[in-house]
Amino acid sequence: MIDRRTFGKAVGLGTGAAAVSMAGFQTSATAATTATAPGAGFGTIKQVKAGVLDIGYAEAGPAHGPVVLLLHGWPYDIHSFVDVAPILAEQGYRVIVPYLRGHGSTRFLSRRTPRTAEQSAVALDIVALMDALKIEKAVLAGFDWGSRTADIIAALWPERVKSLVSTSGYVITNRKAQLEPALPAVEHNWWYQWYFATERGRKTMENEKERIALCRYVWTLVSPNWNFDDATFERTAEAFKNPDYAAVVLFNYRWRIGLVESEHRYDRYEKLLAAQPPIAVPTITLDPALDPFTPAGDGSTYRDHFTGPYEHRTIADIGHNLPQEAPAVFARAVIDADHLHR
C-alpha cells in the first residue's frame, strides 16, 4: 500500500523527463492505493510455454498498452511488485510480472533439462517469454536477479528494450573478478553465498522449512527499515516451495564464484557478458541507501557502463527490496525511464 510518506518520496524524485503530469500521477497513485488493500495479492496467475519453461506470470493493465516487464530477485517473488503494478496499470501500461525459473508456478518443461541458473539462462528465459507473448519491445525494470537479467537483455538484445530501470546499477556478473577476494565487510554481506557453497548450505536449501527460515532471515538483514508482517512474507514464501527452487538457487550462487560451470548452450552468451558490454538504452539506476550490497552514492562506480540517456537516483531509508518497500518511488522511475530521450 502506498501511504502519503512513501508517495512524497516519489514526488521528490520526479525530476526526470516525464510525459505524465505529477498531478495526474498522484491521482492515479491514490486510486491504485484504494484498489489494492494491504496484504492483497495479484489475481489469477497465467501460464505460457516459453523456451525451456512453462512460465507463471501476473498481468495488469490494458492488453494493448505499452509493456513493462517487472523482474524480481532472490529471495523474493512477483509480490515485490504487488503495489507497483497497479500504479503503472492506472497509467495505461500493460504490466507483466513473471516468476523466474525455480520460483512459484514456473516449471521446466522437461525433466531432462539441467536445473542451472547462469545469468544468461535467466535472461534468455525472459526473451523467450517476450517471444511467447508476442512482445517486441518493453520497458524492463528490476532488482537483484531482476536487475541483472534486465541489464543483460539491454546489453545483448537492445532492440527488445525500450528503456531500463536497474536497481543497484550495472550488475552483470564478472566471474573473473569474482575469483578475487573482496574487502572483509563485502565478504561478510555475502555470507549466504559462501554458505551455499557448503554441504551444510545445500542441505538447508533442500529442506523446505529450513530454506524458508533462511530466506526470512535474509529479508531482515538486507531491509533493516522494512517492518513486514508474517502474512507478507508467507505470501512470497509460497514461491520458495517450487520443486526446482533449491537446485536453481544453489547453482546460481555457486556458478558466480566458479564452483560449477555453465551449460555449453550458454557459453557464447557468457563469453559476451565476460567482456562487460555497455548498455546504450535509456536507463535510470536506483541505489537504495540501506541496501548492504550497494554503497549508496552518485552511481559513479558503474556510470561508464551506461552510454545512452541516463539518470541516477539514491533512495534514502530504503533497503534491498526497493519496489516493495517504496512502490511509488519505483513506479515513478519506470515512468520517467520510459520518457528519457534517446
Side-chain angles (χ1 to χ4, degrees), residues 101 108 113-118 121-122 125 247-249 251-252 255 260-263 265-266:
R101 60 169 56 195
F108 286 86
T113 303
R115 271 45 174 171
T116 67
E118 304 89 341
V122 181
D125 292 343
V248 164
V249 173
F251 186 96
N252 183 278
W255 173 85
V260 294
E261 291 305 315
S262 301
E263 253 199 289
R265 75 171 80 181
Y266 301 116

Side-chain angles (χ1 to χ4, degrees), residues 26 38 66 123 160 172 185 193 217 225 244 251 255 302 310 324 331:
Q26 186 165 6
R160 307 302 296 269
I172 296 175
Q193 178 170 264
Y217 181 57
N225 272 11
D244 299 310
F251 186 96
W255 173 85
Y302 49 72
Y310 177 81
Q324 198 162 3

